[in-house]
Amino acid sequence: EVYKREIGLPFFCETNPNVHTKETMKLLADANCTLLQFGFQSANEEVRRTVLHRRETNARIRELITEAKRLGMFVCIDHIANLPGEVQEHLDEAIALYHELRPNWVNLGYLQYYPEAEIIDIAIARKAIFEEDLHDIYSGEFQSSFRLLSKSHIGDYYRTMPMRLFLAFKIGINPNAFVYKILNNKIIARILSPLASWFIYASRILLAYTDKRDFLVRHHVIRNIYVMINLLKEKFFKNA
């Protein structure tokens, strides 16, 4: 109430689903929270529990997304692909869940391994990575952008995951539709692979400029443009 009365500006909240109830969601909406971001990371409860040590259920996810949308908030879901032990059925489960719930955005990233992280041991045990990968992980050579395809041993299905998710949650195309079968083609997957990261960024920016609630990405765009302009000035006009 104090924030709403004395400040009242729209704000963004990145949060854990386990701390919320319908009542707390209503308080956020009343305080002018326009963008709510949940870190679910996987649509499979067992993967969340055994790999990420997260206890929220899919029933809880359904309740929170439904309530946030009802209250008029922009709902963004964090999802990590390529988790240890993940199989195609888990990805299909995610596509089906997000098609059902239709969040405003699914923030897809590919798992990156960092030195000393517990998930490295889990990944080796599940044969997602191997002992010979450890040198590259510790030297940093295994890393790529969070939005780029991971350098670990992933299959063709991941190459079109950004498009599959977008078709499901944003366009609303049923996961059993023929277009998904086209994306299963290995040649199509290899052609689209270089476009995956560009697709994630471009579609996200387009959405931000067509939905006024999504102010955070617009802020990032403006900030990055400002930084690039100043870097160019520094590089080419420093002595002018």
Side-chain angles (χ1 to χ4, degrees):
E1 292 180 358
V2 174
Y3 177 88
K4 183 178 181 179
R5 182 177 66 252
E6 298 187 4
I7 301 176
L9 293 173
F11 67 94
F12 153 74
C13 179
E14 184 171 4
T15 187
N16 187 303
N18 286 322
V19 304
H20 286 289
T21 63
K22 287 186 176 182
E23 289 71 25
T24 61
M25 302 279 281
K26 187 175 186 306
L27 288 171
L28 284 171
D30 287 344
N32 209 13
C33 175
T34 61
L35 198 164
L36 191 62
Q37 186 164 335
F38 288 115
F40 293 143
Q41 317 309 353
S42 173
N44 184 272
E45 292 182 2
E46 182 181 1
V47 170
R48 283 200 304 271
R49 184 177 64 256
T50 59
V51 176
L52 302 173
H53 307 313
R54 301 179 65 115
R55 305 295 176 182
E56 61 267 21
T57 65
N58 282 0
R60 180 84 168 150
I61 290 173
R62 287 183 170 91
E63 178 184 21
L64 291 175
I65 293 179
T66 301
E67 182 65 9
K69 289 178 64 179
R70 187 188 72 79
L71 292 167
M73 289 186 276
F74 183 103
V75 181
C76 180
I77 305 301
D78 284 341
H79 186 96
I80 299 177
N82 195 35
L83 291 169
E86 187 173 74
V87 295
Q88 184 174 322
E89 287 73 17
H90 297 152
L91 301 177
D92 291 338
E93 188 177 347
I95 291 169
L97 180 65
Y98 299 141
H99 174 261
E100 172 195 343
L101 297 175
R102 304 292 299 277
N104 298 99
W105 187 257
V106 176
N107 208 26
L108 175 66
Y110 294 93
L111 179 65
Q112 304 293 317
Y113 294 100
Y114 294 96
E116 306 299 335
E118 180 189 353
I119 202 167
I120 290 178
D121 296 328
I122 296 173
I124 291 175
R126 297 186 177 212
K127 294 182 170 51
I129 59 174
F130 303 94
E131 293 284 349
E132 52 264 35
D133 293 320
L134 293 179
H135 176 269
D136 288 345
I137 290 173
Y138 278 79
S139 66
E141 295 177 14
F142 207 75
Q143 305 306 318
S144 63
S145 166
F146 187 61
R147 306 296 173 205
L148 294 174
L149 290 172
S150 169
K151 294 182 180 179
S152 53
H153 310 277
I154 64 175
D156 290 327
Y157 198 89
Y158 286 95
R159 299 175 184 277
T160 54
M161 194 62 184
M163 294 77 169
R164 293 175 190 274
L165 283 173
F166 190 85
L167 290 173
F169 80 82
K170 199 64 188 174
I171 308 300
I173 297 178
N174 189 290
N176 296 318
F178 180 70
V179 65
Y180 295 95
K181 294 180 174 60
I182 295 175
L183 294 175
N184 286 338
N185 183 281
K186 289 187 177 182
I187 296 176
I188 297 297
R190 292 302 173 102
I191 292 173
L192 293 177
S193 178
L195 303 176
S197 296
W198 287 101
F199 181 84
I200 291 174
Y201 286 115
S203 55
R204 186 71 173 95
I205 291 171
L206 178 62
L207 178 60
Y209 280 91
T210 55
D211 192 320
K212 66 179 182 179
R213 298 171 298 175
D214 191 14
F215 65 88
L216 188 65
V217 169
R218 294 196 298 273
H219 168 76
H220 290 328
V221 170
I222 294 169
R223 182 189 63 187
N224 286 329
I225 290 174
Y226 177 82
V227 170
M228 285 189 292
I229 289 174
N230 281 278
L231 286 174
L232 289 172
K233 284 181 178 179
E234 181 73 16
K235 184 175 180 62
F236 295 107
F237 303 105
K238 184 176 181 179
N239 299 317

